[in-house]
RNA sequence: GCCCUCUUGGUGAAAUUGGUAAACACAGCGGACUUAAAAUCCGUAGCCUUCGGGCUUGCCGGUUCAAGUCCGGCAGAGGGCACCA
């Protein structure tokens, strides 16, 4: 009897509507079951879903469906990170309104997500560009302002003088604006900042509590925060310049202080600016440095340049000596104090600089194993000290004695503190988060500038500050700024005519709290704090590693800020984090550049793969395997795959083979293999279903029936364990094993030659199998579940409970090694005593010859594992 | 330059965390069914071998009864950060 092929084109839409109608994925905040919040990073509505989304959301969906089956009230929402530059670019290029473009894309992508059968609660959907969402974000901003979490200060931006607009770093190409091609200028603008640096220490130390985060992400965040301890001290100027009597520096290596041979300050350092007022050459030098500073390549290749100011400072270590002060291109104003002392003996960069400008090189220590007279040690190459290295210090100020770098650092700090030259200081690399963007398509900052009252927050009753829709992208500059009347508004304080802030917020703000909003998305305040506290932290967050730093750090900061402003009481937003690998595909290159996989035919002969162009049969080069991207044209459209093979096949392929944290290579053969398995499961169950649907479900008593039951129960247990660990590829392998085991017994059921015992064990196994594959292939699972005679939906069924007695064996096959090499196997009762195992192992035919009639020197018995006989 | 990760058959990988290396799949090869093909099913498969065995997890060394797994060194690949003091 043959079974009709499984037709995904009919089955998948059928079950999608059935789930929708029964609202099986809508989650209530009032539910007695324990809650479980699984979230995947929400997409930017760029136009179409790509394979990376499919992988990300499939993993999340498996977890959501599995947890639902395990009795949790699962929250699994979806939304749109919908503000951002691409919408404005599309507006300028295609003359389409950013709002229209965005909502159109959302509609397309929502439709695509629905065809994948994800168990999402669409009733909670929102886009960050919805007025209802950004209205609450404006409220949050004002609350944070009240709480002292927001500040306003100057920051430098890339300015396009032709388009009269601020450019993001990615819009600056070779130092020129991407549209106008005009050389980019640097401008200082007053901007809004969240004072994330106030939380630097907390954000750093709390990383230790995130034990379900990848180590890699925690390390990256720790490095980004960049805590260091060093010495901040002042070098006295020989002659004061205006108000400047000394030069404040910061160093993490105070133990090299004695080797200082010059001072260097940033071109933007106040002292440099002061000097530049009367020094044309210095002004020119600073301009020059700034110009070459725009392009990254130029920066990397730029050699160390300095400008000797002629000023000198007193050397605090050796009285009477002085050091020259340079303005140098490699000193950053943003870090530390914008000034350093240079120690060429122990720093590569300082060494390069000193060599170029003929400055003295004084070692402050020699390697501990240096044999000669320490004073004769010549530092040809800078020796960069490590903190644990044992060294002989030389040329040190009196009283500073130590054996290792770490001790040297503390000793020098103590010395400097005692002489009141400076003090020990902790520095963070982390900078405050500038959120002002001079763009239209973002959340307006609810601030008003009044000529008499200054900077005034918009009154809460006047919120939301809504983006105007009648805007003009033809004129250069920010549309909000040149809108005819939008910015005109009365001052909330004095009522006089005033102007709105025309800057909008960084889109990272939108994504820093959306996970909290999902817990009560229609609330008239940013959160319903009870709902937020009940659901948060997110139990499992899944997304790409590219968000390891900014998005995740900002979200962690926002949770703290929202706790401080009373919107919730959760400081860490994501208890579990998983970063999945990319979807990659090989590339095909012809004379006209890259070719898309759909245009290419790949053949294999004698292990050699060749690619030809379908259109004309011309030869193509099979290139490297790369992340799917438009530029490499190696993109496979999920829609095409769903159409040809179905969503279940795409989902199954995404979960098979590659561990989820690693990149997965998309191959035609792999997809076909996945589809074969879909069909195989269908044939297995549909073939036997006419017999099985009316059978009682029972555990087999003996023989094949018992084997079937054992396999089904064991798989239910093991797949559960694997899914808990997000080891989807292992779960998939176990399901293959189960299906392999079931093949023959199901054949005999189908052919009508199975015993009653076998029939009922197969009936139960078929139920089990349907429910086990349900998180991964939900449509196929429903269809199987139904034809097996069940009248519920698999999507709401509990995970099959395994019988503990069936998953453990009475006997074990122990490998028996002699001197670490396997020589035999021993079948023995599971709880056999150690000495019994030893006795039986030594009596084995394959072991006896190695004993040469004598005794074993030693026998290691590890119960249920191995026996090793040492002779 | 600093920090992190990875390296197992032709390929993607697995290995109960120190206990039988290569489960499962893809590609391959042989066969069955078919006029033929597709689909399906069965079998086979790390390398060498004098058929007794021997060797094998990037390379070298160490610890251990036992190492893919732990330690030290080296090489290669990938990622993050950075003129960051």
């Amino acid at each position: 009897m043959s079974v009709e092929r499984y037709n995904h084109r009919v089955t998948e839409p059928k079950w999608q509507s059935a789930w929708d109608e029964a609202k099986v994925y809508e989650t209530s905040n009032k539910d007695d079951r324990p809650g479980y919040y699984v979230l995947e990073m929400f997409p930017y509505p760029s136009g179409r879903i790509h394979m990376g989304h499919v992988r990300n959301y499939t993993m999340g969906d498996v977890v959501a469906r599995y947890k639902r089956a395990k009795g949790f009230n699962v929250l699994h929402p979806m939304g749109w990170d919908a503000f951002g530059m691409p919408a404005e670019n599309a507006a300028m290029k295609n003359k389409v309104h950013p709002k229209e473009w965005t909502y159109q894309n959302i509609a397309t992508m929502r439709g695509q997500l629905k065809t994948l059968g994800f168990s999402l609660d669409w009733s909670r959907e929102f886009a960050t560009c919805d007025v209802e969402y950004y209205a609450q974000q404006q409220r949050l901003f004002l609350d944070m302002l009240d709480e002292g979490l927001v500040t306003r200060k100057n920051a430098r931006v890339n300015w396009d003088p032709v388009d009269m607009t601020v450019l993001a770093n990615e819009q600056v190409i070779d130092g020129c604006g991407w549209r106008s091609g005009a050389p980019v200028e640097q401008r200082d603008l007053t901007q809004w900042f969240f004072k994330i640096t106030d939380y630097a220490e907390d954000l750093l130390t709390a990383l230790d509590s995130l034990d379900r985060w990848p180590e890699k992400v925690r390390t990256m965040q720790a490095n980004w925060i960049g805590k260091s301890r060093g010495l901040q001290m002042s070098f006295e100027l020989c002659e004061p310049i205006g108000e400047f009597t000394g030069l404040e520096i910061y160093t993490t290596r105070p133990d090299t202080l004695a080797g200082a041979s010059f001072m260097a300050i940033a071109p933007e350092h106040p002292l440099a600016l002061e000097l530049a007022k009367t020094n044309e050459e210095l002004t020119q030098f600073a301009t020059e440095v700034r110009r070459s500073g725009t392009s990254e390549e130029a920066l990397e290749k730029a050699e160390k340049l300095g400008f000797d100011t002629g000023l000198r400072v007193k050397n605090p270590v050796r009285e009477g000596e002085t050091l020259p002060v340079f303005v140098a291109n490699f000193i950053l104003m943003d870090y530390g104090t914008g000034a350093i002392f240079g120690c060429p003996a122990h720093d590569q960069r300082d060494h390069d600089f000193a060599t170029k400008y003929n400055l003295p090189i004084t070692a402050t220590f020699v390697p501990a194993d240096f044999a000669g007279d320490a004073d004769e040690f010549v530092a040809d190459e800078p020796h960069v000290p490590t903190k644990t290295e044992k060294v002989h210090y030389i040329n040190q100020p009196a009283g500073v004695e130590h054996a290792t770098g770490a001790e040297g650092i503390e000793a020098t700090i103590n010395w400097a503190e005692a002489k009141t030259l400076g003090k020990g200081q902790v520095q963070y690399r982390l900078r405050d988060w500038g959120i002002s963007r001079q763009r239209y398509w973002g959340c307006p900052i609810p601030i008003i500038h009044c000529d008499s009252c200054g900077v005034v927050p918009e009154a809460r009753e006047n919120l939301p500050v809504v983006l105007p829709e009648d805007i003009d992208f033809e004129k250069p500059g920010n549309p909000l700024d040149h809108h005819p009347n939008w910015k005109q508004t009365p001052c909330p304080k004095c009522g006089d005519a005033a102007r709105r802030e025309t800057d909008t917020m960084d889109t990272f703000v939108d994504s820093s709290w959306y996970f909290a909003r999902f817990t009560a998305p229609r609330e008239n305040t940013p959160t319903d704090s009870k709902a937020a506290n009940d659901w948060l932290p997110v139990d499992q967050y899944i997304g790409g590693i590219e968000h390891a730093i900014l998005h995740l750090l900002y979200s962690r900061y926002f949770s703290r800020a929202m706790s401080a402003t009373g919107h919730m009481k959760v400081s860490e937003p994501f208890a579990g984090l998983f970063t999945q690998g990319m979807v990659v595909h090989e590339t095909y290159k012809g004379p006209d550049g890259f070719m898309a996989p759909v245009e290419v035919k790949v053949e294999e002969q004698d292990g050699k793969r060749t690619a030809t162009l379908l259109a004309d049969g011309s030869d193509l080069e099979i290139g490297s395997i790369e992340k799917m991207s438009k530029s490499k044209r190696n993109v496979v459209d999920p829609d095409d795959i769903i159409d040809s093979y179905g969503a279940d096949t795409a989902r199954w392929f995404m979960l098979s083979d590659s561990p989820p944290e690693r990149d997965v290579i998309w191959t035609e053969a792999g997809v076909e293999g996945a589809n074969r398995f879909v069909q195989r499961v269908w044939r297995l169950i549909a073939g036997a279903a006419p017999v099985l649907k009316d059978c009682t479900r029972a555990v087999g008593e003996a023989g094949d029936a018992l084997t079937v039951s054992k396999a089904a129960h064991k798989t239910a247990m093991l797949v559960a364990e694997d899914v808990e660990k997000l080891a989807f590829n292992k779960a998939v392998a176990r399901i293959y094993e189960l299906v392999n085991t079931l093949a023959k017994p199901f054949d005999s059921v189908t052919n009508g030659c199975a015993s009653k015992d076998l029939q009922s064990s197969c009936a139960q196994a078929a139920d089990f199998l349907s429910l086990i594959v349900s998180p991964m292939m939900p449509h196929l699972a429903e269809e199987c579940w139904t034809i097996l005679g069940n009248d519920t939906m698999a999507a709401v069924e509990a995970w099959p409970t395994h019988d503990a007695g069936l998953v453990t064996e009475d006997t074990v096959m122990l490998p028996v090694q002699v001197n670490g090499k396997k020589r035999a196997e021993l079948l023995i009762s599971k709880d056999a005593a150690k000495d019994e195992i030893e006795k039986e192992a030594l009596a084995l035919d394959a072991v006896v010859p190695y004993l040469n009639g004598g005794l074993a020197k030693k026998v290691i018995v590890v119960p249920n594992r191995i026996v090793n006989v040492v002779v």
Side-chain angles (χ1 to χ4, degrees), chain A residues 44-71:
Chain A
Y44 177 77
S46 55
R48 299 187 66 74
I49 293 292
H50 57 69
M51 280 300 176
H53 293 126
V54 176
R55 193 177 195 204
N56 190 179
Y57 303 146
T58 299
M59 290 179 192
D61 199 46
V62 172
V63 174
R65 287 176 180 275
Y66 167 77
K67 286 290 177 182
R68 224 173 264 125
K70 277 289 192 179

Side-chain angles (χ1 to χ4, degrees), chain A residues 313-325:
Chain A
V313 295
K314 291 179 182 164
N315 186 332
V317 179
R318 270 175 288 283
E319 214 165 312
E321 290 181 22
T322 63
L323 304 169
V325 178

Side-chain angles (χ1 to χ4, degrees), chain A residues 62 160 285 358 589 714 744:
Chain A
V62 172
D160 186 319
F285 176 80
N358 265 324
K589 206 170 183 177
K714 216 171 190 169
K744 273 185 186 159

Side-chain angles (χ1 to χ4, degrees), chain A residues 338-626:
Chain A
I340 63 149
F341 72 80
C343 177
H346 304 300
D347 183 285
Q348 182 66 53
R349 203 184 41 201
D350 296 347
H351 193 271
D352 295 348
F353 192 85
T355 312
K356 186 174 166 96
Y357 293 101
N358 265 324
L359 299 162
I361 297 171
T362 313
T364 67
F365 60 81
V366 297
D369 54 9
F370 181 70
D373 185 347
D375 290 336
E376 286 165 19
F377 181 76
V378 183
D380 297 333
E381 287 297 319
H383 180 106
V384 181
T386 69
K387 286 187 180 172
T388 50
E389 189 177 3
K390 290 223 187 274
V391 288
H392 291 312
Y393 279 86
I394 54 177
N395 300 324
Q396 294 287 326
V400 179
E401 283 152 13
H402 36 268
T404 67
E407 290 166 24
I409 290 168
E410 288 310 313
T412 315
I413 291 173
N414 292 340
W415 172 84
E417 284 179 348
K419 299 197 92 179
T420 65
L421 289 164
K423 60 181 186 351
Q425 178 98 3
V426 169
Q427 278 277 346
Y428 298 90
R429 208 183 72 96
L430 186 69
R431 293 176 215 161
D432 278 335
W433 174 14
I435 58 154
S436 295
R437 298 290 181 272
Q438 296 68 37
R439 296 178 201 291
Y440 165 71
W441 196 231
C443 172
I445 297 174
I447 291 289
I448 287 154
H449 300 273
C450 172
D451 288 334
S452 18
C453 310
V455 175
V456 185
E458 177 61 287
R460 281 176 173 74
E461 60 269 25
N462 294 340
L463 293 183
V465 178
V466 180
L467 284 172
E469 298 206 10
D470 54 330
I471 43 148
D472 182 4
F473 280 103
E474 296 299 305
K475 287 192 212 159
N478 181 356
L480 287 180
D481 198 30
H482 58 59
H483 187 277
N485 48 33
W486 181 77
K487 66 179 173 184
Q488 267 98 55
T489 189
C491 169
K493 219 173 186 175
C494 68
D496 286 355
R499 300 167 313 280
R500 288 197 183 286
E501 172 79 57
T502 57
D503 284 355
T504 51
M505 293 185 208
D506 179 8
T507 57
F508 273 113
V509 179
D510 312 341
S511 56
S512 293
W513 70 285
Y514 77 108
F515 48 87
R517 184 72 185 162
F518 274 137
T519 64
R522 310 291 172 236
E523 201 63 25
N524 230 350
T525 46
T527 61
D528 163 359
S529 62
K530 180 172 181 339
N533 293 337
D534 283 352
W535 282 114
L536 293 171
V538 172
D539 294 280
Q540 186 63 61
Y541 195 38
I542 308 177
I545 186 80
E546 67 273 19
H547 293 112
I549 297 174
L550 295 183
H551 164 59
L552 291 168
L553 190 66
Y554 291 156
S555 297
R556 295 180 63 220
Y557 165 71
F558 242 75
S559 294
R560 286 161 171 77
M562 289 173 76
S563 297
T565 49
H567 293 288
M568 58 191 214
K569 285 184 199 143
V570 180
S571 56
E572 285 298 339
F574 312 119
L577 172 70
F578 188 84
T579 53
Q580 102 265 3
M582 295 183 298
V583 182
V584 296
H585 196 288
E586 66 186 3
T587 51
Y588 310 104
K589 206 170 183 177
D592 305 325
F594 288 104
M595 291 296 156
V598 287
E599 305 169 310
V600 176
K601 185 179 174 189
V602 179
E603 285 172 302
E604 178 160 346
Q605 247 192 350
D606 305 326
K608 266 191 124 178
R609 301 178 71 247
T610 52
T612 48
L613 194 60
L614 277 174
D616 59 7
S618 61
D619 287 343
L620 298 173
E621 185 195 331
I622 297 184
S624 56
I625 295 170
E626 309 261 4

Side-chain angles (χ1 to χ4, degrees), chain A residues 162-179:
Chain A
V162 172
D163 279 350
M164 307 226 295
T165 185
V166 173
L167 298 173
N169 283 331
E170 67 194 61
Q171 295 174 316
V172 180
I173 295 150
D174 293 333
C176 299
W178 64 333
R179 303 185 87 92

